[in-house]
Amino acid sequence: MAVALPSFLTAIMIMSRLMAFIGITRNNDMSSKLQSLVIAPKLSYDPSAIESASQDFGHIVKAVPQAVLLPSSPWDIASLVNFSYSNSVPFIIAARGNSHSVNGQAMAKNGVVIDMTSMKNGNGTGIRIASDGSYADVGGQQFWIDVLNATLGLGLTPVSWTDSLYLTVGGTLSNAGISGQTFQYGPQISNVYEIDVITGTADFVTCSPNNNSDLFYAALGGLGQFGIITRARIPLEPAPKRVKWVRMLYTDFSDFTRDQELLISKNGRNDNKALNYLEGSLLLDQGSLDNWRSSFFQPQDQPKIISLITKFRIVYCLEIVKHYDGQTKTTVDKDLQQLLKGLSYLPGFMFEKDAKYEEFLNRVHSEELKLKAKGLWDVPHPWLNLFIPKSKISDFNDGVFKSIVLQRNITTGPVLVYPMNRKKWDDRMSAVIPDEEIFYTVGLLQSSGFDDWRTFEDQNKEILQFCEKAGIKVKQYLPHYTTKEGWVNHFGSKWSTFQKRKLQFDPKLLLSPGQRIFNNNE
Ligand code: FAD
């Protein structure tokens, strides 16, 4: 029988909502059934466990689950999913990594949240490095900082990172995992050989480009919709020892972006002469020298930087890194000079640091600790992350940075702006990016008070409305939509494949409900 896919999915969605409703009215029924399971001792109803599973780094959304699973192996997860899948009244399930989402993406209202990090101490997959050093098998629950520490012990390292390393492997692979290495190596999802996934039908599947490839491409960048990633095989390379870390300031946006684009045009994976990292950010006059990315500048340099910001209101900061080790120690400065020759940064505004490789990679953590000590970390984070086609980045600067951001004058926290190369992404994966060969990521990583985050959300809305009116075809990174139309537009030509894969791998719509893609009325 041929059934049109959208109407079939709509029928399933209506049924699943009805079942979720019945599930809500039968909470006690579900709890008593859960208690009969072998994994019952690993289900927590403890108020503090429930409370922490109801929140995330955003501190904006709250959704209370019925229980939290503390698995000690992937089999515990499979057992929970299997129970829900085969139940006459299935319940929703969210894997929760480090809960660094900002819009409730790892929550499950009235369902069960799986605290992936509890597997760190159990007999789940930990971190195992291949005897020839070519890859590491890493549990989906592992933090990237643990992957770094384990691999560095053998002089090895993954190549594609995120700015914060206190994110889980499963969490970043469900989005993309981007940072200053992306222009050269692609996002983290482009640096995975194989994954183990527990699907919404409770099947435990090993997949790769050659084996169950549909699930491999679906899950990478798949926002947790197709399965729970319990292991990823990550390629490794020899680790450098140290880095030359440079920041250069600009007051002219087109000079800034021209130089960024020039630098990322040298991007061969094995090109020893290329940079190893490139990002960029705005320095704004509302105190951004004191945010979690800007303690780079030495105290003696700060007065002249601050007076530059006061004069121009926006200063653009290009940030780059070149790795080196014992062998390249004597040539790294020359190589760097060669790369920076002819750039248009402001004379006298180039600042340089020399750091250990791991100190550079873990740079956000020391700032996190400082903000935590001041009580400024666990506050609302009304973030907006966008991908912007290169052809429109100058319009974006004029309409957003120089107009909306300056006029509203509320932005506190880092604002990142840096380009990447489309060819380093794999279009078969679920992640969505703009069509152009070069596109920029812009991250407004704002912190607010508990009583004024709506003002920041209003600014975010204004930015999105401006882009729509100006014909700037942005794609959200870490996307957040509350309507089906929003998601359909977001996925564009990928939407029908995304729906088909959902039907195949999670037909009862159990997984990652907090993304609100297939259950956006809840
Ligand atoms: P969670 O927030 O716990 O989960 C995210 C989503 O993935 C949820 O839908 C969840 O259900 C699902 N999920 C979690 N684990 C699994 C799994 N094992 N299998 C399948 N689905 C799963 N992102 C970048 O790309 N680059 C950065 O530089 C960067 N820096 C950041 C810095 C900070 C301080 C913060 C707070 C976030 C940053 N992020 C960055 C965003 C971050 O990558 C995402 O928020 C990511 O989802 C967080 O990982 P997590 O482990 O906390 O996942």
Side-chain angles (χ1 to χ4, degrees), residues 57 95-101 105-106 116 140 162-164 167-168 170-172 174-175 177-178 223-224 227-229 377 383 477-478 512 515:
F57 184 77
R96 178 179 190 263
N98 197 21
S99 195
H100 268 30
S101 294
Q105 286 92 335
M116 297 297 289
T162 45
D163 292 352
S164 166
L167 307 170
T168 64
T172 68
S174 297
N175 284 296
I178 56 168
L223 307 176
I228 296 168
I229 300 170
W377 187 254
W383 285 13
Y477 178 55
L478 314 171
S512 279
Q515 299 278 2

